[in-house]
Amino acid sequence: LGTGGSAIVGITLGEGDQKKADRYFTMFLLAALISVSVLAVLGILLLRPVAMLLGAKGELLDYAVRYGRILMLALPPFALQNMFQSFFVTAEKPLLGFWFTVGAGCTNMVLDVVMVGMLHWGVEGAAVATLISQLVGGVLPVFYFIDHGNTSRLHLCRTQFYGRVLWDACINGSSELMTNLSMSLVNILYNFQLLRLAGENGVIMYAAFLFVAVFVGYAVGSAPIVSFHYGARNHAEVHNLYQKSLRLIAVVAVSMTAASMVIIPYVARIFVGYDVQLLALTSRAFRLYALSFLIMGFNVYASSFFTALGDGVTSALISFLRTLVFQLAALLLLPALWGIDGVWLAVTAAELAALAVSVYMFVTKDQKFHYRHG
């Protein structure tokens, strides 16, 4: 609903229908709030049996239930905070959205120190700190958008149920849903292969997220701009954004890959500096993994670009193939050929296969959206 809904709202703004954009915006937030609240209640009720099913027992089970039940209360504001990240860009207030996110993060860090470190509230303190931080990022923006004197392009207002529009937003944002679901499944397989081939070593994935976030941030931030100009039938500007984005991604991809080759030993040392062999293994692993940075930016942008144009099916297809089908195939095949190096090269192989799909979609979909030649 965040990315898919913001694209629909952006297109509607581009078409010049401010009132309808505000009503859609309000409906998407209410729909998210209601659906996530239901999930939160289910989570509270099912938390203990699910934790037991996953193997938690004894003190670990007690911690999981105590922490998780409080955290479930944070789900509704957490959902709103994630949605506002997209809608602030659509409202032409990206910097304000940035500061709300920073405020939420800083609140969490400070309260962790106070509640866990100083007051010794344990897991409950950590959970309450997270809950309050999500209120900062997910509830405070509501007061901004409900004020019709704000200078943004969006305002909360009275709305009604637009079933077809809500369905279109869900379909349009299905690529982001697929990406998150696929990442969970693929990470399980990664862990299985790593445990089988080299024992425990999870630092590579977390370090990689620091670099991947650059591509994701640009794709999410630029999507509402594309939506607005597409809705306004300003094909020349959509073409301009498309061309400049691809060039920018190419420059950033090469620069980031080169930089990561130099930086990763220092990053790895923070996590595994206590073990010389593990440090060497991690540095080599990341350098192989980092080859994917040359490619993945184009695939991330392609999926987000088609979401921005309202073509959720194409966006979901790219995400589904890229994050699930190609990665699963590579993770099952390459380690059998090259051992643990095959695990680290699996992402690059999957991104390369997905790039072929992205290029094909860029070429064929231009007949409908007219972005390659303005």
Side-chain angles (χ1 to χ4, degrees):
L1 281 177
T3 54
S6 65
I8 290 177
V9 171
I11 291 173
T12 306
L13 282 173
E15 292 171 343
D17 198 332
Q18 177 69 56
K19 291 183 178 179
K20 185 178 289 186
D22 286 341
R23 290 197 294 268
Y24 289 169
F25 169 52
T26 306
M27 181 195 67
F28 291 143
L29 291 181
L30 289 174
L33 190 61
I34 293 170
S35 59
V36 176
S37 296
V38 172
L39 291 176
V41 173
L42 291 175
I44 292 173
L45 295 175
L46 299 176
L47 187 59
R48 178 176 289 274
V50 170
M52 293 174 64
L53 182 65
L54 293 174
K57 56 185 177 181
E59 190 175 33
L60 178 60
L61 176 61
D62 180 57
Y63 283 149
V65 173
R66 287 160 53 194
Y67 179 81
R69 283 181 175 166
I70 297 176
L71 208 61
M72 288 297 166
L73 299 176
L75 278 182
F78 174 74
L80 291 180
Q81 179 179 338
N82 278 273
M83 292 186 70
F84 280 129
Q85 290 177 7
S86 295
F87 282 116
F88 267 119
V89 180
T90 306
E92 298 182 2
K93 294 292 182 180
L95 190 60
L96 186 57
F98 168 78
W99 286 118
F100 271 115
T101 303
V102 170
C106 291
T107 300
N108 199 353
M109 290 187 289
V110 171
L111 291 180
D112 274 337
V113 173
V114 173
M115 295 183 176
V116 180
M118 298 173 63
L119 299 178
H120 306 292
W121 288 0
V123 293
E124 286 86 355
V128 170
T130 301
L131 170 60
I132 295 175
S133 72
Q134 300 297 355
L135 293 175
V136 172
V139 176
L140 291 186
V142 172
F143 293 98
Y144 173 78
F145 283 112
I146 209 170
D147 176 15
H148 283 225
N150 79 65
T151 58
S152 78
R153 293 296 301 270
L154 293 176
H155 305 86
L156 291 172
C157 64
R158 291 184 179 274
T159 188
Q160 63 188 71
F161 180 69
Y162 299 93
R164 178 64 185 179
V165 176
L166 183 62
W167 173 255
D168 288 342
C170 292
I171 296 299
N172 199 32
S174 59
S175 59
E176 285 70 27
L177 172 68
M178 180 54 61
T179 296
N180 284 281
L181 291 176
S182 299
M183 284 177 61
S184 299
L185 179 60
V186 169
N187 283 343
I188 292 173
L189 185 56
Y190 261 109
N191 290 333
F192 173 79
Q193 292 285 42
L194 287 173
L195 287 170
R196 183 175 66 86
L197 295 169
E200 296 182 2
N201 182 13
V203 65
I204 183 72
M205 296 300 294
Y206 292 102
F209 290 156
L210 298 175
F211 295 88
V212 176
V214 174
F215 295 126
V216 174
Y218 179 79
V220 172
S222 63
I225 303 173
V226 173
S227 298
F228 177 83
H229 288 291
Y230 177 70
R233 300 296 184 265
N234 189 355
H235 296 297
E237 186 58 28
V238 174
H239 166 72
N240 182 46
L241 290 165
Y242 167 78
Q243 292 282 7
K244 287 184 176 179
S245 293
L246 293 182
R247 292 170 187 164
L248 178 62
I249 290 170
V251 172
V252 171
V254 173
S255 302
M256 195 163 64
T257 302
S260 67
M261 298 294 180
V262 177
I263 294 172
I264 190 54
Y266 302 99
V267 177
R269 190 170 288 112
I270 297 173
F271 295 94
V272 296
Y274 57 85
D275 189 317
V276 176
Q277 285 187 322
L278 185 56
L279 177 61
L281 173 64
T282 302
S283 297
R284 172 178 172 78
F286 192 91
R287 287 192 170 110
L288 292 175
Y289 186 98
L291 294 174
S292 65
F293 298 157
L294 289 169
I295 309 167
M296 72 167 56
F298 296 101
N299 295 323
V300 171
Y301 180 75
S303 178
S304 180
F305 182 75
F306 286 112
T307 296
L309 295 175
D311 189 352
V313 174
T314 298
S315 177
L317 178 63
I318 295 173
S319 290
F320 176 71
L321 293 175
R322 170 181 167 258
T323 61
L324 185 62
V325 176
F326 293 151
Q327 284 209 40
L328 288 179
L331 274 172
L332 292 172
L333 177 62
L334 296 188
L337 298 175
W338 297 320
I340 192 170
D341 283 352
V343 176
W344 310 125
L345 290 171
V347 174
T348 303
E351 293 291 352
L352 190 61
L355 181 63
V357 177
S358 296
V359 171
Y360 175 79
M361 291 301 178
F362 274 142
V363 172
T364 57
K365 290 292 181 175
D366 180 57
Q367 298 175 5
K368 178 179 179 180
F369 297 110
H370 311 292
Y371 48 78
R372 293 182 64 215
H373 305 96

